[in-house]
Amino acid sequence: MADSLNTPEAPGTARPAPGEQPPHAPGVSVRQSRAKGEPRFPDGPRADPAGSHFERRIRSFQPRRSRVTAGQADALQRLWPKWGLDIDGQRVLDLAELFGNSRPVVLEIGFGMGEATAQMAAADPDTNILAVDVHTPGQGNLLGLADRNALTNVRVGNGDAIILLREMLTPDSLDGLRVYFPDPWPKKRHHKRRLIQPEFLTLAATRLRPGAIVHCATDWEPYAEQMLEVLTAHPDFENTSPDGGFAPRPGFRPLTRFEGQGLDKGHVVNDLLFRRVPHEDQTPESPAEPPGGPVAGGALPR
């Protein structure tokens, strides 16, 4: 467990001047004393950016309270104004303005600590990644990774991805959607909280251009079966796998440390890659490849 900054000072440690913050030690958890109602990070992500502007629906995510290291806190303070986005639902985003270019944009929902996101961004600099999560340490960690690796094609969103899709993105504005290892909500009474549901796919389809790829991955087999069933039944998507089943893990999706640990324990990881089919008033486009590279070493099948 990381030491807290509240531990006694070592002999010879200089005290900060009045009004100054104590120096941060890399990797050390941050416990800041602040007045009631004062934001945790004044220049960082807000605790509840959408506030009470929208109806409270059944959430597919569970905010986690965990310690923020000094390095993560530093990244949040320095980089959030530049690369961060609070999902407040109060404006429509211009993605070209957000990223400073008109390259394809992929939305990633739930990125954990951001290691895989950073690897994919580095491997495919011509694709912009809008990565959304509610986990503050992960937000800070991904910002730090982007900074250290000069990844200018990453933006970090804080808040509810449903509000982002419904209120802040324009039709056909996304070139891909990634949902890796979402909360499986294993108890039957909680299945309604799972993200991959028909209603979610209908909303996502309005924001995905024809040919865009929805890529899901999970190590919870019952959820994988539900994902396959729901995606297969949805009229706006078609399976890229010729046999209509799960797809091999594409090379552009990194094998994370946690996934590797699960595989070592015998867990089965399933990938699903579905293509957004054209609207009725649009002609089919040429086969698209998901940002990051082709599936299983070749172009996607028709």
Side-chain angles (χ1 to χ4, degrees), residues 33-278:
S33 59
R34 60 187 187 278
K36 185 177 181 180
E38 182 181 343
R40 191 177 187 187
F41 301 101
D43 297 320
R46 302 197 331 246
D48 187 10
S52 58
H53 300 298
F54 302 96
E55 73 278 5
R56 292 295 178 181
R57 59 177 182 79
I58 297 173
R59 293 285 179 86
S60 63
F61 58 87
Q62 182 66 42
R64 292 170 291 162
R65 301 296 181 187
S66 55
R67 293 183 179 181
V68 177
T69 68
Q72 293 161 2
D74 175 69
L76 287 167
Q77 287 290 98
R78 288 189 302 108
L79 302 171
W80 189 261
K82 179 182 178 183
W83 289 338
L85 168 69
D86 276 316
I87 300 171
D88 57 13
Q90 299 301 299
R91 58 196 171 107
V92 176
L93 293 176
D94 182 332
L95 293 177
E97 179 182 350
L98 179 67
F99 285 94
N101 58 67
S102 57
R103 294 169 185 158
V105 178
V106 169
L107 173 63
E108 181 177 358
I109 300 178
F111 55 80
M113 296 306 290
E115 293 98 337
T117 306
Q119 290 182 54
M120 289 187 289
D124 186 14
D126 291 329
T127 295
N128 295 323
I129 301 177
L130 176 52
V132 175
D133 210 309
V134 294
H135 190 220
T136 308
Q139 293 167 353
N141 201 63
L142 178 53
L143 286 171
L145 289 170
D147 186 40
R148 290 192 293 276
N149 294 284
L151 304 176
T152 60
N153 58 331
V154 175
R155 299 293 181 270
V156 179
N158 167 54
D160 191 337
I162 299 295
I163 292 177
L164 173 70
L165 285 164
R166 192 181 65 204
E167 308 291 342
M168 300 179 70
L169 294 177
T170 57
D172 299 346
S173 57
L174 296 175
D175 289 79
L177 172 64
R178 295 167 178 166
V179 184
Y180 298 155
F181 305 98
D183 194 326
W185 295 102
K187 295 181 180 179
K188 187 173 182 180
R189 68 176 184 272
H190 291 156
H191 285 185
K192 60 188 176 183
R193 296 182 178 274
R194 289 176 172 176
L195 179 63
I196 305 302
Q197 306 274 7
E199 297 80 5
F200 169 76
L201 293 175
T202 297
L203 172 61
T206 66
R207 304 304 186 241
L208 291 163
R209 67 165 181 81
I213 296 296
V214 173
H215 183 192
C216 302
T218 180
D219 62 345
W220 191 260
E221 290 188 81
Y223 195 10
E225 294 290 346
Q226 179 191 325
M227 287 181 179
L228 181 60
E229 178 182 350
V230 171
L231 278 160
T232 300
H234 201 286
D236 290 328
F237 298 96
E238 64 181 5
N239 200 338
T240 66
S241 181
D243 63 3
F246 300 110
R249 179 179 68 86
F252 65 83
R253 183 176 74 75
L255 182 68
T256 67
R257 175 168 53 91
F258 295 104
E259 182 180 355
Q261 291 173 351
L263 292 172
D264 289 342
K265 297 176 182 178
H267 296 181
V268 175
V269 176
N270 287 298
D271 285 75
L272 303 95
L273 290 110
F274 277 71
R275 182 191 294 109
R276 171 72 166 97
V277 299

